[in-house]
PDB file of all heavy atoms in Angstrom:
ATOM      1  N   THR A  41      11.029   1.933   1.521  1.00 92.00           N
ATOM      2  CA  THR A  41      11.688   0.704   1.359  1.00 92.00           C
ATOM      3  C   THR A  41      13.185   0.945   1.406  1.00 92.00           C
ATOM      4  O   THR A  41      13.980   0.159   1.948  1.00 92.00           O
ATOM      5  CB  THR A  41      11.235   0.035   0.015  1.00 92.00           C
ATOM      6  OG1 THR A  41       9.713  -0.179   0.013  1.00 92.00           O
ATOM      7  CG2 THR A  41      11.961  -1.315  -0.276  1.00 92.00           C
ATOM      8  N   GLY A  42      13.575   1.935   0.635  1.00 91.00           N
ATOM      9  CA  GLY A  42      15.028   2.269   0.541  1.00 91.00           C
ATOM     10  C   GLY A  42      15.528   2.743   1.931  1.00 91.00           C
ATOM     11  O   GLY A  42      16.688   2.435   2.151  1.00 91.00           O
ATOM     12  N   GLU A  43      14.709   3.413   2.725  1.00 87.00           N
ATOM     13  CA  GLU A  43      15.250   3.679   4.085  1.00 87.00           C
ATOM     14  C   GLU A  43      14.974   2.592   5.075  1.00 87.00           C
ATOM     15  O   GLU A  43      15.233   2.867   6.224  1.00 87.00           O
ATOM     16  CB  GLU A  43      14.506   4.894   4.477  1.00 87.00           C
ATOM     17  CG  GLU A  43      14.817   6.180   3.686  1.00 87.00           C
ATOM     18  CD  GLU A  43      14.008   7.433   4.066  1.00 87.00           C
ATOM     19  OE1 GLU A  43      13.082   7.416   4.837  1.00 87.00           O
ATOM     20  OE2 GLU A  43      14.391   8.557   3.492  1.00 87.00           O
ATOM     21  N   ARG A  44      14.448   1.523   4.636  1.00 80.00           N
ATOM     22  CA  ARG A  44      14.240   0.339   5.381  1.00 80.00           C
ATOM     23  C   ARG A  44      13.333   0.690   6.669  1.00 80.00           C
ATOM     24  O   ARG A  44      13.367   0.168   7.774  1.00 80.00           O
ATOM     25  CB  ARG A  44      15.534  -0.181   6.044  1.00 80.00           C
ATOM     26  CG  ARG A  44      16.558  -0.638   4.867  1.00 80.00           C
ATOM     27  CD  ARG A  44      17.850  -1.208   5.356  1.00 80.00           C
ATOM     28  NE  ARG A  44      18.688  -1.666   4.387  1.00 80.00           N
ATOM     29  CZ  ARG A  44      19.891  -2.073   4.494  1.00 80.00           C
ATOM     30  NH1 ARG A  44      20.337  -2.320   5.679  1.00 80.00           N
ATOM     31  NH2 ARG A  44      20.583  -2.465   3.466  1.00 80.00           N
ATOM     32  N   GLU A  45      12.346   1.500   6.410  1.00 78.00           N
ATOM     33  CA  GLU A  45      11.272   1.864   7.364  1.00 78.00           C
ATOM     34  C   GLU A  45      10.148   0.769   7.214  1.00 78.00           C
ATOM     35  O   GLU A  45       9.006   1.085   6.823  1.00 78.00           O
ATOM     36  CB  GLU A  45      10.697   3.258   7.178  1.00 78.00           C
ATOM     37  CG  GLU A  45      11.730   4.387   7.291  1.00 78.00           C
ATOM     38  CD  GLU A  45      12.046   4.654   8.845  1.00 78.00           C
ATOM     39  OE1 GLU A  45      11.209   4.158   9.691  1.00 78.00           O
ATOM     40  OE2 GLU A  45      12.915   5.335   9.101  1.00 78.00           O
ATOM     41  N   THR A  46      10.441  -0.507   7.516  1.00 78.00           N
ATOM     42  CA  THR A  46       9.635  -1.493   7.393  1.00 78.00           C
ATOM     43  C   THR A  46       8.277  -1.378   8.048  1.00 78.00           C
ATOM     44  O   THR A  46       7.245  -1.885   7.789  1.00 78.00           O
ATOM     45  CB  THR A  46      10.212  -2.845   7.758  1.00 78.00           C
ATOM     46  OG1 THR A  46      10.762  -2.841   9.103  1.00 78.00           O
ATOM     47  CG2 THR A  46      11.295  -3.155   6.691  1.00 78.00           C
ATOM     48  N   MET A  47       8.273  -0.749   9.296  1.00 75.00           N
ATOM     49  CA  MET A  47       7.143  -0.585  10.205  1.00 75.00           C
ATOM     50  C   MET A  47       6.204   0.333   9.521  1.00 75.00           C
ATOM     51  O   MET A  47       4.880   0.334   9.858  1.00 75.00           O
ATOM     52  CB  MET A  47       7.453  -0.037  11.539  1.00 75.00           C
ATOM     53  CG  MET A  47       8.338  -0.993  12.295  1.00 75.00           C
ATOM     54  SD  MET A  47       7.441  -2.416  12.780  1.00 75.00           S
ATOM     55  CE  MET A  47       6.177  -1.734  13.844  1.00 75.00           C
ATOM     56  N   HIS A  48       6.540   1.240   8.530  1.00 80.00           N
ATOM     57  CA  HIS A  48       5.623   2.178   7.951  1.00 80.00           C
ATOM     58  C   HIS A  48       5.244   1.802   6.475  1.00 80.00           C
ATOM     59  O   HIS A  48       4.504   2.605   5.827  1.00 80.00           O
ATOM     60  CB  HIS A  48       6.329   3.524   7.922  1.00 80.00           C
ATOM     61  CG  HIS A  48       6.572   4.048   9.329  1.00 80.00           C
ATOM     62  ND1 HIS A  48       7.874   3.922   9.821  1.00 80.00           N
ATOM     63  CD2 HIS A  48       5.802   4.617  10.179  1.00 80.00           C
ATOM     64  CE1 HIS A  48       7.930   4.469  10.983  1.00 80.00           C
ATOM     65  NE2 HIS A  48       6.635   4.915  11.287  1.00 80.00           N
ATOM     66  N   LEU A  49       5.704   0.688   6.076  1.00 88.00           N
ATOM     67  CA  LEU A  49       5.411   0.265   4.709  1.00 88.00           C
ATOM     68  C   LEU A  49       3.910  -0.199   4.375  1.00 88.00           C
ATOM     69  O   LEU A  49       3.370   0.024   3.323  1.00 88.00           O
ATOM     70  CB  LEU A  49       6.300  -0.888   4.159  1.00 88.00           C
ATOM     71  CG  LEU A  49       7.756  -0.711   3.999  1.00 88.00           C
ATOM     72  CD1 LEU A  49       8.454  -2.002   3.764  1.00 88.00           C
ATOM     73  CD2 LEU A  49       7.896   0.408   2.910  1.00 88.00           C
ATOM     74  N   TRP A  50       3.225  -0.605   5.411  1.00 90.00           N
ATOM     75  CA  TRP A  50       1.908  -1.285   5.226  1.00 90.00           C
ATOM     76  C   TRP A  50       0.884  -0.259   4.742  1.00 90.00           C
ATOM     77  O   TRP A  50      -0.017  -0.662   3.965  1.00 90.00           O
ATOM     78  CB  TRP A  50       1.489  -1.876   6.599  1.00 90.00           C
ATOM     79  CG  TRP A  50       1.156  -0.878   7.640  1.00 90.00           C
ATOM     80  CD1 TRP A  50       1.949  -0.232   8.534  1.00 90.00           C
ATOM     81  CD2 TRP A  50      -0.200  -0.445   7.817  1.00 90.00           C
ATOM     82  NE1 TRP A  50       1.204   0.561   9.288  1.00 90.00           N
ATOM     83  CE2 TRP A  50      -0.096   0.520   8.934  1.00 90.00           C
ATOM     84  CE3 TRP A  50      -1.511  -0.742   7.279  1.00 90.00           C
ATOM     85  CZ2 TRP A  50      -1.194   1.197   9.428  1.00 90.00           C
ATOM     86  CZ3 TRP A  50      -2.601   0.095   7.651  1.00 90.00           C
ATOM     87  CH2 TRP A  50      -2.462   0.957   8.714  1.00 90.00           C
ATOM     88  N   LEU A  51       0.935   0.979   5.268  1.00 92.00           N
ATOM     89  CA  LEU A  51      -0.049   1.981   4.879  1.00 92.00           C
ATOM     90  C   LEU A  51      -0.104   2.337   3.424  1.00 92.00           C
ATOM     91  O   LEU A  51      -1.190   2.142   2.741  1.00 92.00           O
ATOM     92  CB  LEU A  51       0.022   3.155   5.756  1.00 92.00           C
ATOM     93  CG  LEU A  51      -1.216   4.296   5.673  1.00 92.00           C
ATOM     94  CD1 LEU A  51      -2.489   3.658   5.686  1.00 92.00           C
ATOM     95  CD2 LEU A  51      -1.043   5.398   6.690  1.00 92.00           C
ATOM     96  N   PRO A  52       1.005   2.873   2.863  1.00 93.00           N
ATOM     97  CA  PRO A  52       0.937   3.161   1.394  1.00 93.00           C
ATOM     98  C   PRO A  52       0.660   1.882   0.490  1.00 93.00           C
ATOM     99  O   PRO A  52      -0.023   1.899  -0.488  1.00 93.00           O
ATOM    100  CB  PRO A  52       2.331   3.650   1.071  1.00 93.00           C
ATOM    101  CG  PRO A  52       3.201   3.291   2.170  1.00 93.00           C
ATOM    102  CD  PRO A  52       2.335   3.216   3.355  1.00 93.00           C
ATOM    103  N   LEU A  53       1.226   0.763   1.020  1.00 94.00           N
ATOM    104  CA  LEU A  53       1.015  -0.631   0.329  1.00 94.00           C
ATOM    105  C   LEU A  53      -0.541  -0.914   0.262  1.00 94.00           C
ATOM    106  O   LEU A  53      -1.154  -1.372  -0.709  1.00 94.00           O
ATOM    107  CB  LEU A  53       1.796  -1.667   0.914  1.00 94.00           C
ATOM    108  CG  LEU A  53       1.914  -2.919   0.098  1.00 94.00           C
ATOM    109  CD1 LEU A  53       2.506  -2.796  -1.238  1.00 94.00           C
ATOM    110  CD2 LEU A  53       2.767  -3.984   0.835  1.00 94.00           C
ATOM    111  N   ALA A  54      -1.143  -0.747   1.472  1.00 95.00           N
ATOM    112  CA  ALA A  54      -2.611  -1.092   1.603  1.00 95.00           C
ATOM    113  C   ALA A  54      -3.501  -0.088   0.769  1.00 95.00           C
ATOM    114  O   ALA A  54      -4.500  -0.442   0.271  1.00 95.00           O
ATOM    115  CB  ALA A  54      -3.071  -1.071   3.076  1.00 95.00           C
ATOM    116  N   LEU A  55      -3.001   1.208   0.763  1.00 95.00           N
ATOM    117  CA  LEU A  55      -3.761   2.185  -0.148  1.00 95.00           C
ATOM    118  C   LEU A  55      -3.615   1.784  -1.580  1.00 95.00           C
ATOM    119  O   LEU A  55      -4.666   1.951  -2.334  1.00 95.00           O
ATOM    120  CB  LEU A  55      -3.224   3.594   0.097  1.00 95.00           C
ATOM    121  CG  LEU A  55      -3.552   4.180   1.460  1.00 95.00           C
ATOM    122  CD1 LEU A  55      -2.712   5.373   1.727  1.00 95.00           C
ATOM    123  CD2 LEU A  55      -5.068   4.533   1.643  1.00 95.00           C
ATOM    124  N   ILE A  56      -2.468   1.453  -2.053  1.00 95.00           N
ATOM    125  CA  ILE A  56      -2.251   0.957  -3.459  1.00 95.00           C
ATOM    126  C   ILE A  56      -3.165  -0.226  -3.812  1.00 95.00           C
ATOM    127  O   ILE A  56      -3.848  -0.329  -4.762  1.00 95.00           O
ATOM    128  CB  ILE A  56      -0.777   0.709  -3.726  1.00 95.00           C
ATOM    129  CG1 ILE A  56       0.033   2.079  -3.693  1.00 95.00           C
ATOM    130  CG2 ILE A  56      -0.646   0.106  -5.110  1.00 95.00           C
ATOM    131  CD1 ILE A  56       1.482   1.796  -3.520  1.00 95.00           C
ATOM    132  N   GLY A  57      -3.235  -1.173  -2.781  1.00 96.00           N
ATOM    133  CA  GLY A  57      -3.919  -2.515  -2.978  1.00 96.00           C
ATOM    134  C   GLY A  57      -5.385  -2.087  -3.017  1.00 96.00           C
ATOM    135  O   GLY A  57      -6.271  -2.681  -3.881  1.00 96.00           O
ATOM    136  N   SER A  58      -5.825  -1.178  -2.206  1.00 96.00           N
ATOM    137  CA  SER A  58      -7.247  -0.692  -2.130  1.00 96.00           C
ATOM    138  C   SER A  58      -7.689  -0.173  -3.381  1.00 96.00           C
ATOM    139  O   SER A  58      -8.731  -0.397  -3.960  1.00 96.00           O
ATOM    140  CB  SER A  58      -7.563   0.192  -0.931  1.00 96.00           C
ATOM    141  OG  SER A  58      -7.246  -0.368   0.283  1.00 96.00           O
ATOM    142  N   PHE A  59      -6.884   0.762  -3.996  1.00 95.00           N
ATOM    143  CA  PHE A  59      -7.106   1.480  -5.246  1.00 95.00           C
ATOM    144  C   PHE A  59      -7.204   0.444  -6.301  1.00 95.00           C
ATOM    145  O   PHE A  59      -8.148   0.400  -7.123  1.00 95.00           O
ATOM    146  CB  PHE A  59      -6.053   2.440  -5.544  1.00 95.00           C
ATOM    147  CG  PHE A  59      -6.320   3.319  -6.735  1.00 95.00           C
ATOM    148  CD1 PHE A  59      -6.973   4.577  -6.642  1.00 95.00           C
ATOM    149  CD2 PHE A  59      -5.973   2.906  -7.968  1.00 95.00           C
ATOM    150  CE1 PHE A  59      -7.231   5.306  -7.667  1.00 95.00           C
ATOM    151  CE2 PHE A  59      -6.160   3.639  -9.219  1.00 95.00           C
ATOM    152  CZ  PHE A  59      -6.768   4.852  -8.987  1.00 95.00           C
ATOM    153  N   LEU A  60      -6.309  -0.562  -6.350  1.00 95.00           N
ATOM    154  CA  LEU A  60      -6.295  -1.630  -7.392  1.00 95.00           C
ATOM    155  C   LEU A  60      -7.575  -2.460  -7.318  1.00 95.00           C
ATOM    156  O   LEU A  60      -8.280  -2.714  -8.299  1.00 95.00           O
ATOM    157  CB  LEU A  60      -5.125  -2.490  -7.192  1.00 95.00           C
ATOM    158  CG  LEU A  60      -5.008  -3.666  -8.222  1.00 95.00           C
ATOM    159  CD1 LEU A  60      -5.011  -3.204  -9.721  1.00 95.00           C
ATOM    160  CD2 LEU A  60      -3.735  -4.449  -7.885  1.00 95.00           C
ATOM    161  N   PHE A  61      -7.956  -2.838  -6.008  1.00 97.00           N
ATOM    162  CA  PHE A  61      -9.266  -3.474  -5.892  1.00 97.00           C
ATOM    163  C   PHE A  61     -10.463  -2.707  -6.343  1.00 97.00           C
ATOM    164  O   PHE A  61     -11.276  -3.183  -6.967  1.00 97.00           O
ATOM    165  CB  PHE A  61      -9.474  -3.737  -4.377  1.00 97.00           C
ATOM    166  CG  PHE A  61     -10.650  -4.480  -4.037  1.00 97.00           C
ATOM    167  CD1 PHE A  61     -10.950  -5.805  -4.418  1.00 97.00           C
ATOM    168  CD2 PHE A  61     -11.659  -3.662  -3.391  1.00 97.00           C
ATOM    169  CE1 PHE A  61     -12.144  -6.337  -4.180  1.00 97.00           C
ATOM    170  CE2 PHE A  61     -12.952  -4.289  -3.178  1.00 97.00           C
ATOM    171  CZ  PHE A  61     -13.111  -5.655  -3.525  1.00 97.00           C
ATOM    172  N   GLY A  62     -10.419  -1.432  -6.085  1.00 96.00           N
ATOM    173  CA  GLY A  62     -11.549  -0.578  -6.577  1.00 96.00           C
ATOM    174  C   GLY A  62     -11.595  -0.549  -7.989  1.00 96.00           C
ATOM    175  O   GLY A  62     -12.600  -0.487  -8.755  1.00 96.00           O
ATOM    176  N   ALA A  63     -10.378  -0.423  -8.683  1.00 93.00           N
ATOM    177  CA  ALA A  63     -10.378  -0.357 -10.179  1.00 93.00           C
ATOM    178  C   ALA A  63     -10.920  -1.684 -10.690  1.00 93.00           C
ATOM    179  O   ALA A  63     -11.601  -1.667 -11.793  1.00 93.00           O
ATOM    180  CB  ALA A  63      -8.891  -0.183 -10.703  1.00 93.00           C
ATOM    181  N   ILE A  64     -10.536  -2.812 -10.199  1.00 96.00           N
ATOM    182  CA  ILE A  64     -11.150  -4.135 -10.613  1.00 96.00           C
ATOM    183  C   ILE A  64     -12.481  -4.184 -10.426  1.00 96.00           C
ATOM    184  O   ILE A  64     -13.230  -4.593 -11.252  1.00 96.00           O
ATOM    185  CB  ILE A  64     -10.268  -5.275  -9.804  1.00 96.00           C
ATOM    186  CG1 ILE A  64      -8.864  -5.287 -10.266  1.00 96.00           C
ATOM    187  CG2 ILE A  64     -10.993  -6.618 -10.158  1.00 96.00           C
ATOM    188  CD1 ILE A  64      -8.054  -6.251  -9.336  1.00 96.00           C
ATOM    189  N   LEU A  65     -12.949  -3.819  -9.164  1.00 96.00           N
ATOM    190  CA  LEU A  65     -14.418  -3.883  -8.878  1.00 96.00           C
ATOM    191  C   LEU A  65     -15.209  -2.911  -9.799  1.00 96.00           C
ATOM    192  O   LEU A  65     -16.212  -3.296 -10.299  1.00 96.00           O
ATOM    193  CB  LEU A  65     -14.670  -3.279  -7.416  1.00 96.00           C
ATOM    194  CG  LEU A  65     -16.047  -3.285  -6.937  1.00 96.00           C
ATOM    195  CD1 LEU A  65     -16.673  -4.487  -6.856  1.00 96.00           C
ATOM    196  CD2 LEU A  65     -16.135  -2.545  -5.503  1.00 96.00           C
ATOM    197  N   GLY A  66     -14.795  -1.722  -9.987  1.00 94.00           N
ATOM    198  CA  GLY A  66     -15.544  -0.685 -10.824  1.00 94.00           C
ATOM    199  C   GLY A  66     -15.580  -1.232 -12.355  1.00 94.00           C
ATOM    200  O   GLY A  66     -16.565  -1.344 -12.956  1.00 94.00           O
ATOM    201  N   SER A  67     -14.364  -1.872 -12.727  1.00 93.00           N
ATOM    202  CA  SER A  67     -14.424  -2.422 -14.165  1.00 93.00           C
ATOM    203  C   SER A  67     -15.218  -3.654 -14.234  1.00 93.00           C
ATOM    204  O   SER A  67     -15.921  -3.700 -15.330  1.00 93.00           O
ATOM    205  CB  SER A  67     -12.910  -2.725 -14.471  1.00 93.00           C
ATOM    206  OG  SER A  67     -12.193  -1.563 -14.542  1.00 93.00           O
TER     207      SER A  67
END
């Protein structure tokens, strides 16, 4: 984000979202 690499932001963001979804699902 700081380097304005907007084309590459989606992958770490999607991984974080997937982990959060898994935490909600497991709980």
Side-chain angles (χ1 to χ4, degrees):
T41 301
E43 294 177 349
R44 299 181 182 178
E45 295 283 347
T46 54
M47 293 295 293
H48 300 99
L49 291 177
W50 72 274
L51 186 52
L53 192 59
L55 288 167
I56 294 167
S58 297
F59 185 92
L60 176 60
F61 174 73
I64 295 169
L65 176 63
S67 299

